Each structure stands twice: as structure tokens, then as C-alpha cells.
Amino acid sequence: MTDAQQFASDNYAGICPEAWAAMEAANRGSAPAYGDDEWTTQASDAFRALFETPCEVFFAFNGTAANSLALASLCQSYHSVICASSAHVETDECGAPEFFSNGSKLLIVPTPDGKLTPDAVRALAVSRTDIHFPKPRVVTITQPTETGQVYTVEEVRALSAMCRELGLKLHMDGARFAHACAALGCAPADITWKAGVDVLCFGGTKNGMAVGEAVLFFDPALAQDFDYRCKQAGQLASKMRFLSAPWVGLLGSGAWLANARHANDCAARLAAAVAGLPEIELMFPVEANGVFLRAPEPVLEALRAKGWRFYTFIGGGARFMFAWDADPVRVDALADDIRAACAG
Ligand SMILES: *Cc1c(COP(=O)(O)O)cnc(C)c1O
């Protein structure tokens, strides 16, 4: 028995059919443990084919671990990581990046939309060069940002050029990486290694999997001993095939992109339906699968009273996130209720 569909989080969704079918297939019979299985080999190869490059691929249970361990692998404890003030690594990972790196400090750039710019990176990176300040080593960007803004290919290229000039590595938190690819209509390679990204955390959970993120190192040298890091952090799945098989289903069928496209379309659908309502303001441009609405408190109250769930942790606005399974009929029902709440 499930409740009526909600859009409070894209993690409310279940497992998409392609991921589920692959898990079911992986469940027939037994297979070697700890990643020495056919599914894990196939999934890794599928990533290399999709990204058109022989990258190193690892699988973690969640995004916090993927990000934290990836950043830790790029840093010594005396290093620092430049990120946006609203970055998930800063606001939603409970200090895990600092913990797994044994103290690498996050340096925060305040930005309105979660996007970093080359100028902001430079200003922070060169603000101190003395021995008393943690040495900048990595820039991490979220693609798309926590509020749904998508870096263009040119923007990623400009950031990586600045990173190279300053001797910094570039990490991408791609918890919704597929949604960025769908929004830009570009190949995954175009906004990652071809644009100068060194390490990508590619989210599976928000793309239709039960659980799991992939960590892709485009420079194999940076992946050295990453397997030990995963194991020590409790991220080496003994029955690895259930973490890797869903990727075979998602990547092989193209569902990774179709899921993201559908989610983005549903966000655009809601945004279009409430555009022009006098009491409603879009807090951010809708470029991916999220819609952030600023509305008077009585309007939000009326929506809650109608049973809608949403978070207001970003600037007090209502956040609606759409997943692979978002039902356009429910999206329209939400739009109708927003309209009614404004009229009421
Ligand atoms: C969801 C999300 C993650 C991963 O979160 P976990 O709960 O650790 O899986 C990472 N980065 C961003 C931007 C996210 O939205």
C-alpha cells in the first residue's frame, strides 16, 4: 500500500523497471563476491563506453561516501577544498569530507545559485598563500547545483582552466548528473573529462536505483588505493553485484537519460503551470528536476492542509523535486492546488 505521490524529494521514488530487472537477473544463482563478478565488470565497462574513455570506476552505497572519499583521495590533511556555500558537501554531509580526509578544510564561496565562477575560485585560492592557511587543492562543483542550476560546457571548461592555472583538481558532485546531461543535451564526456573534470561522483539513487553511486576517476593515477579507502570506510559491498547490476540496466537501456529527461520535463511542467500566478515566485530558474517556489505562508499552509509535502530549508521557499516516476497527473494536481491556494 503506497500513499499518493509526493514531490518533496526525488528520493521518495522507488526503483525503475530497468534497474529492477537487472537486479532480478543478478539474483539468479550465485556470483563471486567483493566485485569480482560479471555484473561489476559489465557495469564498469558500460561507464567506460558511455564516457568514451578508460576511466577507473568504483561503486559506493551513497553520495556522502562517494563525495567524501573522492575528495579525501585528492587531498592531504593540510589541504583545502573550495566549494559553494550551498554545496551538499558543506551543508548535508555532517562533516564527512573533513572526517575522511583527516581534516582537509572546506573553503566556502557564498553564491546565490550554488554555482562557482573562475573569478570566485581564484579570489579564494590566492587570498592566502602563507603557511598558516590550509593549502587549496581541490575545487568541487555540483552539477546540477542543489537548487537546480546547470553548468554549461563552457562554464565547466572555464573553471577547469582556472583550476589548472592554480594547480587545483576539479571534482564534480553529480548526484543528479544524468539530469544535467538531459538538460544540456550533451554527451557525458563533454561536461566531464573533456572539460577538465578529474573525478566524477555519478548518482544512481536519484536516477532510479535503490541505492548506489559510481565514482569515476578520469586520471587513473588519482585512483590509487581508492579501493582500500572504500573498504576502510565500510563502502565495499560484499554482494557487489547488487550495487553494480542496476547500472548495467540503467546504462544499457538508456534509462539513465530517459529517467532524467522525464524528471526535468515534470519540473518544467509545474513551473509553466504556476508561472504568472501573482503570489508565486520562482526562486531559481528551472533547469533540471527541481522547482523552488516562494509563496506567502498562508499559501504554503493551504498546500500542507491539502496533504502536499515539501521542504522549505532553502530560503523558506517550497521545494518540489521530480523523479523518474513522477506522474504528470499528480504534477497537474499540485499545480491546481497551488492555483487554488493563491485564489483562496
Ligand atoms: C542527494 C545528494 C547527494 C547524496 O546524498 P546521500 O544521501 O549521501 O546519498 C550528494 N550531493 C547532492 C547535491 C545531493 O543532492
Side-chain angles (χ1 to χ4, degrees):
M1 181 63 200
T2 52
D3 297 334
Q5 189 173 54
Q6 294 284 343
F7 305 118
S9 168
D10 35 359
N11 279 341
Y12 278 29
I15 303 166
C16 73
E18 294 82 0
W20 186 253
M23 287 181 83
E24 203 168 51
N27 195 38
R28 287 183 208 129
S30 64
Y34 296 110
D36 293 329
D37 63 280
E38 262 312 300
W39 291 101
T40 303
T41 303
Q42 271 189 48
S44 303
D45 287 342
F47 275 111
R48 292 179 194 116
L50 181 64
F51 282 81
E52 308 164 63
T53 188
C55 50
E56 295 285 332
V57 183
F58 300 87
F59 301 96
F61 289 106
N62 61 30
T64 298
N67 283 335
S68 304
L69 296 174
L71 292 173
S73 73
L74 299 173
C75 289
Q76 296 291 331
S77 58
Y78 52 84
H79 282 140
S80 55
V81 176
I82 294 173
C83 68
S85 47
S86 56
H88 197 271
V89 291
E90 159 70 4
T91 63
D92 288 295
E93 299 190 356
C94 197
E98 295 90 332
F99 177 76
F100 284 112
S101 62
N102 288 310
S104 303
K105 186 176 166 63
L106 297 186
L107 302 179
I108 307 310
V109 178
T111 70
D113 59 0
K115 268 192 183 179
L116 291 179
T117 62
D119 285 348
V121 166
R122 182 208 289 278
L124 188 49
V126 304
S127 65
R128 290 274 298 271
T129 53
D130 58 275
I131 195 76
H132 305 285
F133 195 66
K135 190 179 181 188
R137 169 71 177 163
V138 184
V139 170
T140 175
I141 58 175
T142 310
Q143 172 74 319
T145 68
E146 288 68 12
T147 52
Q149 278 61 66
V150 177
Y151 287 91
T152 64
V153 176
E154 292 70 31
E155 286 171 330
V156 179
R157 281 207 195 120
L159 275 164
S160 77
M162 180 57 74
C163 287
R164 274 180 221 319
E165 187 186 322
L166 298 167
L168 306 172
K169 298 293 178 198
L170 184 57
H171 165 264
M172 181 177 278
D173 173 351
R176 300 185 182 89
F177 180 76
H179 303 82
C181 293
L184 293 169
C186 70
D190 293 342
I191 41 166
T192 55
W193 64 275
K194 284 186 182 173
V197 171
D198 296 295
V199 185
L200 168 70
C201 294
F202 188 146
T205 313
K206 289 169 182 147
N207 196 206
M209 283 173 45
V211 60
E213 320 277 303
V215 185
L216 276 56
F217 287 86
F218 300 111
D219 174 358
L222 296 174
Q224 203 197 337
D225 291 346
F226 194 73
D227 44 353
Y228 286 90
R229 220 176 259 289
C230 288
K231 173 66 192 183
Q232 187 182 48
Q235 290 290 318
L236 175 62
S238 50
K239 292 188 180 177
M240 181 70 91
R241 67 187 182 282
F242 297 110
L243 217 47
S244 55
W247 284 113
V248 175
L250 276 186
L251 302 186
S253 63
W256 71 278
L257 193 57
N259 285 352
R261 205 174 274 141
H262 174 77
N264 289 355
D265 287 349
C266 287
R269 186 181 182 104
L270 178 68
V274 302
L277 287 176
E279 292 186 285
I280 302 291
E281 186 198 331
L282 278 183
M283 295 172 71
F284 303 95
V286 176
E287 297 172 2
N289 67 326
V291 177
F292 293 73
L293 298 179
R294 195 187 307 287
E297 193 49 40
V299 170
L300 298 184
E301 255 324 301
L303 286 176
R304 289 189 192 100
K306 287 229 167 131
W308 291 103
R309 291 196 209 158
F310 49 86
Y311 292 103
T312 54
F313 59 81
I314 302 220
R319 184 189 84 154
F320 296 101
M321 301 298 298
F322 301 92
W324 65 273
D325 67 339
D327 179 357
V329 173
R330 277 294 278 174
V331 179
D332 292 347
L334 173 58
D336 288 346
D337 283 346
I338 293 172
R339 210 172 293 118
C342 288

